[in-house]
Amino acid sequence: MAQKTGTPVLLCVGVAALAAVLASLLNAEASVQYNAAEGTSTARTMADALADARSTANWDPVLNAKGVRVWKRVEHAERTSAPMAIKSQVYAAVPPRFFTDLLLTRDYDTARLFNPTLDGGSDIEWFSKHERISHVRTKPVLILKPRDFVVRVRRESRSDGTELVLNTNTVHRLAPVAQSHVRGVLNGLHLVEPHKDGTGCVYTMVSQMDPRGSIPMVIVNWFAMRRPLQYMVAL
């Protein structure tokens, strides 16, 4: 498959961490070749992640402000070192496809308006116009090293107007771990559904990020619960 170059999808900062669901996704040790078996596995994972995003079971409310609702779920409640899954939701007065195109923009100036931590990166392998592997770098925070992530991104458009984007942590030979960055783990589902008003959409994001390194997970989780409000208001 021919490889294209470009800047990474914006969604790689946003991300769903459904540990049991996402464990079944492909983990590419080298340049991955897309095939029917992988497509079937990804489709099942997409369906499971979609069901979880629409469900209210096992989600604890965190906040409801400025039109944004946020929930949390701890996969291993007995461990303070376990990253939280965060679900957030907001209404946008634009069609689902327009909103999803904005989320996937490759215009860095536009992306930084609602994701100021984005530093750079590239799309390093494409399987189709709807699926690729991206390498994303984020800026350092205070004295901490900058982070980078390698994710497999799949977009799906449904006949009812619903748009989905699934981000799955992976590895790739063209994005080796570098001493200049700490390699984090990022998984996410972005669900954009038509609103009943017929013009707008409802955006739901389920995400989990482990930045690795020396940051205590309790601090990561504290920020993770609060960042969706800033991110979605900016959108």
Side-chain angles (χ1 to χ4, degrees):
M1 181 84 55
Q3 181 177 313
K4 304 176 185 179
T5 59
T7 54
V9 293
L10 174 66
L11 291 178
C12 298
V13 299
V15 233
L18 317 170
V21 173
L22 296 177
S24 63
L25 277 177
L26 301 170
N27 215 4
E29 292 295 337
S31 178
V32 185
Q33 295 301 314
Y34 185 75
N35 58 46
E38 290 176 347
T40 302
S41 175
T42 304
R44 286 197 303 267
T45 303
M46 182 77 86
D48 291 341
L50 174 59
D52 186 78
R54 287 173 168 167
S55 172
T56 57
N58 302 316
W59 288 102
D60 298 321
V62 173
L63 64 83
N64 186 352
K66 299 182 179 180
V68 178
R69 302 177 67 190
V70 181
W71 299 262
K72 69 176 181 178
R73 182 173 67 204
V74 183
E75 305 293 347
H76 302 284
E78 72 282 0
R79 291 169 45 204
T80 58
S81 61
M84 286 181 180
I86 302 295
K87 179 164 72 171
S88 49
Q89 190 174 79
V90 71
Y91 168 80
V94 294
R97 186 177 293 273
F98 179 91
F99 190 89
T100 307
D101 288 343
L102 175 62
L103 290 174
L104 291 169
T105 182
R106 295 193 183 100
D107 182 338
Y108 268 88
D109 291 335
T110 299
R112 291 192 183 99
L113 292 176
F114 48 99
N115 177 23
T117 63
L118 185 64
D119 184 37
S122 60
D123 297 320
I124 53 180
E125 184 168 359
W126 291 71
F127 307 103
S128 73
K129 65 179 181 178
H130 298 301
E131 187 166 7
R132 58 190 177 273
I133 292 178
S134 295
H135 179 211
V136 180
R137 300 186 303 275
T138 60
K139 298 175 182 178
V141 178
L142 301 177
I143 62 173
L144 301 174
K145 268 188 172 184
R147 263 57 183 172
D148 69 341
F149 305 88
V150 180
V151 292
R152 186 164 183 156
V153 182
R154 176 184 173 89
R155 178 176 182 174
E156 180 179 311
S157 300
R158 300 199 165 186
S159 59
D160 64 356
T162 297
E163 299 281 338
L164 303 99
V165 180
L166 183 67
N167 290 348
T168 311
N169 190 71
T170 189
V171 296
H172 198 283
R173 61 181 178 81
L174 297 180
V177 176
Q179 291 186 349
S180 59
H181 289 71
V182 175
R183 177 61 52 86
V185 175
L186 178 66
N187 293 290
L189 174 72
H190 299 258
L191 168 64
V192 188
E193 300 177 283
H195 190 266
K196 59 184 179 182
D197 64 12
T199 58
C201 65
V202 177
Y203 170 44
T204 304
M205 176 178 71
V206 183
S207 63
Q208 184 181 56
M209 182 183 71
D210 184 350
R212 300 292 175 91
S214 60
I215 309 174
M217 189 54 62
V218 64
I219 296 177
V220 173
N221 287 337
W222 188 88
F223 280 102
M225 287 188 291
R226 288 155 179 81
R227 190 169 192 306
L229 178 62
Q230 173 191 1
Y231 171 71
M232 289 192 162
V233 168
L235 272 172

